[in-house]
Amino acid sequence: MPTPAAPPASFNLAEHLIARNAGRAERIAYIDDHRRITYGELADAIHRCAGMLREHGLRREERVLLLANDSVDWPIAFLGAIDAGIVPVAVNTLLTVDDYAYMLAHSRARAAIVSEALLPRLSRALERGRHDVETIWVIGTATPGTRDFRDDVAHAKPGTPALTHADDVAFWLYSSGSTGAPKGTVHTHANAYWTDTLYAQNVLALTEEDVCFSAAKLFFAYGLGNALTFPLSAGATTILMAERPTPASVFERLVAQRPTLFFGVPTLYAAMLASPDLPDRSRVALRLCASAGEALPKDIGERFTAHFGCEILDGIGSTEMLHIFLSNRSGAVKYGTTGVPVPGYDVELRGEDGRPVADGEVGDLYIRGPSAALMYWTNRDKSRGTFQGEWTKSGDKYVRGADGYYVYAGRGDDMLKVSGLYVSPFEVEGALVQHPAVLEAAVIGKPDADGLTKTKAFIVLKPGHESDNGLEDALKSFVKDKLAPYKYPRYIEFLPELPKTATGKIQRFRLREREQGSA
């Protein structure tokens, strides 16, 4: 495959996406819960938003906090800021007041754009700590001291696009704060160009005929590509949903609006398959699905494809690399693996000595590619640990098979050493979810009476199944039949649900904390 052309040095991401759709003014760009917008209307709103921000004194490279539910206003605000050379800081809508207070102080945002439903939390965060916010725009009904975002955009004079460089800062995304304070991950104008060129075009083969629907929200790196940069680069139509993605809410849109591409996460795919309301294949129009956030269990992928006749391309990306760099490919899917490197990215597995490991051995995953973030804002130590020259250290562990496909072995801090041998929690979980009674599983290490580490599984059962001693023994035997005997879970606990991040990733560290608290 020929190397894609790099963007020109003078490059503005918002203007690039507008130019890609110059001949599609009447085509629908977005459909949200209440309205739809054409590409022509979107371009006009982006330019007016850019003008609005400048009229209120925001200058190039200053930050604006974007705390908003998914609607057509989100891409207008995000791209309007970028068009003006202002930096949107897109933040998770499910965080605490303390988190927002930290992000306001850390980013030194001079303005905020917030959904009406989220304004109370933002207001409490503003009261709690130091910040530089001078203007608050509300998507919805403005309150005293705030401004109406939609009204101000509608009446603003369109701004002139900022003459930005491909390597200028375009936007921030905050990475997970599970190992400390959230990290402000700084991305350039060119980074989204590269994820679209290398993944959306070459792996998804996205076209203007597609209708995209992402369960992952726009403030996530995964969702930002799925529902903004990818479809806008191709001239496709995108469905946005403000509510939480449940099987019921997803099914409603799969049937009524018939997207051709669906982007989910493993826990959602599992819940969809377990739902009694799972629609028949004939009622949907899916041609392709994608999964990220956590490795997709083999059984889930196989059952989904058997039901819908549609492949799920399991892959791995990160906030630091902006989107997926390792993925299965259509027509060559191997469920139970994360696929092969996306063309344009290099992947290396390294041992504790920093040297590449042989096929079949567990190694730390490093990535080299053009979409890597510049840094973590004001965090030199973490930046040096993650961004190592041309390479980015992911924090994930993988095994590469002789066939070139990569198999997930867990996060570095999740790996267990049992009887002197490493055990991947994901491998045990993958065996457990193949049992017909198991909906979800999470595995951690638990010290026994002698202080030796043994595996413990937390299980969520499918509806209609009851936990009892007989089932516990059956599950242990089930795993022994599928894996090396030392890997089976010595302890099993049944829970009504597992702790997860907003992206659907299982939080094993929460289970470890729970276990320590009960010890």
Side-chain angles (χ1 to χ4, degrees):
M1 181 181 296
T3 302
S10 179
F11 182 82
N12 182 299
L13 174 62
E15 284 303 302
H16 165 73
L17 295 175
I18 289 171
R20 295 276 293 186
N21 298 290
R24 301 187 180 101
E26 301 304 316
R27 192 174 185 86
I28 298 297
Y30 282 103
I31 302 170
D32 70 12
D33 297 336
H34 304 290
R35 58 191 174 130
R36 56 183 59 201
I37 189 171
T38 66
Y39 272 100
E41 292 167 337
L42 178 64
D44 180 66
I46 290 168
H47 288 145
R48 290 181 184 277
C49 181
M52 177 195 76
L53 294 172
R54 284 182 179 160
E55 286 171 9
H56 283 80
L58 275 87
R59 296 172 295 183
R60 283 187 60 161
E61 299 187 11
E62 291 184 327
R63 270 79 66 192
V64 55
L65 192 84
L66 177 55
L67 173 60
N69 293 318
D70 282 15
S71 73
V72 299
D73 301 288
W74 205 104
I76 290 169
F78 184 80
L79 293 174
I82 289 174
D83 198 55
I86 295 162
V87 180
V89 179
V91 298
N92 190 328
T93 60
L94 303 173
L95 300 179
T96 66
V97 171
D98 286 341
D99 289 323
Y100 296 133
Y102 169 81
M103 291 172 177
L104 287 164
H106 181 248
S107 68
R108 298 193 292 275
R110 285 201 53 225
I113 301 172
V114 58
S115 292
E116 180 183 352
L118 300 169
L119 178 60
R121 258 184 286 168
L122 179 67
S123 298
R124 292 199 298 274
L126 290 167
E127 293 169 357
R128 186 162 297 184
R130 181 184 62 79
H131 65 83
D132 297 328
V133 172
E134 297 175 0
T135 309
I136 301 171
W137 280 280
V138 178
I139 299 170
T141 303
T143 58
T146 69
R147 302 190 63 87
D148 186 311
F149 175 78
R150 292 170 185 158
D151 188 63
D152 277 6
V153 168
H155 291 93
K157 181 181 178 180
T160 303
L163 297 176
T164 50
H165 191 282
D167 290 335
D168 275 341
V169 175
F171 58 93
W172 293 16
L173 300 171
Y174 273 96
S175 66
S176 170
S178 61
T179 56
K183 299 181 287 292
T185 311
V186 179
H187 280 286
T188 70
H189 285 261
N191 284 2
Y193 165 88
W194 283 116
T195 57
D196 167 65
T197 302
L198 299 178
Y199 177 75
Q201 294 182 28
N202 293 334
V203 177
L204 300 178
L206 195 60
T207 75
E208 66 176 6
E209 301 302 320
D210 280 308
V211 178
C212 300
F213 176 37
S214 175
K217 300 302 183 181
L218 282 161
F219 56 76
F220 296 121
Y222 181 45
L224 182 65
N226 303 340
L228 195 148
T229 54
F230 296 171
L232 294 189
S233 292
T237 296
T238 302
I239 298 163
L240 296 178
M241 178 178 73
E243 66 183 293
R244 187 170 65 91
T246 62
S249 62
V250 169
F251 295 156
E252 178 184 345
R253 287 156 181 84
L254 290 182
V255 172
Q257 295 170 311
R258 297 178 65 81
T260 57
L261 270 77
F262 176 65
F263 303 87
V265 295
T267 52
L268 179 57
Y269 285 117
M272 289 166 64
L273 288 171
S275 171
D277 299 320
L278 184 70
D280 294 335
R281 180 187 303 194
S282 61
R283 300 179 65 200
V284 305
L286 295 172
R287 74 166 179 85
L288 195 62
C289 293
S291 182
E294 210 165 30
L296 181 75
K298 182 174 185 285
D299 178 62
I300 299 299
E302 290 175 344
R303 288 196 290 122
F304 189 93
T305 297
H307 182 85
F308 286 113
C310 171
E311 293 177 318
I312 301 177
L313 305 187
D314 188 27
I316 183 174
S318 66
T319 305
E320 291 76 10
M321 295 302 296
L322 191 56
H323 213 274
I324 290 172
F325 49 80
L326 186 64
S327 177
N328 277 273
R329 303 293 292 272
S330 184
V333 169
K334 289 192 68 174
Y335 287 125
T337 79
T338 315
V340 298
V342 171
Y345 292 95
D346 297 315
V347 169
E348 228 176 58
L349 300 183
R350 302 178 187 174
E352 293 180 1
D353 59 1
R355 297 179 180 178
V357 300
D359 286 354
E361 295 183 10
V362 176
D364 291 307
L365 179 67
Y366 287 75
I367 315 100
R368 178 170 60 187
S371 64
L374 291 176
M375 60 179 165
Y376 299 129
W377 188 258
T378 63
N379 198 330
R380 190 175 180 87
D381 287 343
K382 291 285 188 182
S383 294
R384 283 177 165 175
T386 298
F387 306 107
Q388 302 180 10
E390 293 184 310
W391 294 88
T392 300
K393 184 178 181 180
S394 74
D396 296 287
K397 289 185 178 290
Y398 266 85
V399 176
R400 181 183 133 122
D403 57 3
Y405 281 72
Y406 287 74
V407 178
Y408 183 64
R411 292 287 296 176
D413 53 1
D414 287 332
M415 291 293 288
L416 307 174
K417 208 164 193 178
V418 179
S419 302
L421 300 170
Y422 276 111
V423 175
S424 163
F426 181 76
E427 185 182 18
V428 182
E429 293 161 7
L432 284 165
V433 297
Q434 293 179 53
H435 191 279
V438 176
L439 176 62
E440 294 177 328
V443 171
I444 64 168
K446 173 183 171 69
D448 65 10
D450 298 318
L452 300 174
T453 299
K454 298 293 188 292
T455 48
K456 176 171 181 176
F458 294 87
I459 304 289
V460 177
L461 296 175
K462 292 178 181 177
H465 292 272
E466 298 292 334
S467 59
D468 55 40
N469 290 332
L471 179 58
E472 183 174 329
D473 291 340
L475 289 172
K476 292 178 179 180
S477 297
F478 186 79
V479 174
K480 286 181 181 178
D481 288 341
K482 291 186 173 296
L483 303 177
Y486 71 90
K487 297 180 180 181
Y488 86 92
R490 269 58 166 195
Y491 312 99
I492 291 179
E493 183 175 343
F494 297 97
L495 296 177
E497 62 181 2
L498 297 176
K500 296 171 188 166
T501 67
T503 55
K505 294 182 183 179
I506 296 170
Q507 295 176 308
R508 293 174 188 82
F509 76 96
R510 297 286 185 204
L511 296 172
R512 288 194 290 268
E513 291 172 354
R514 182 179 187 275
E515 197 64 25
Q516 290 167 1
S518 63

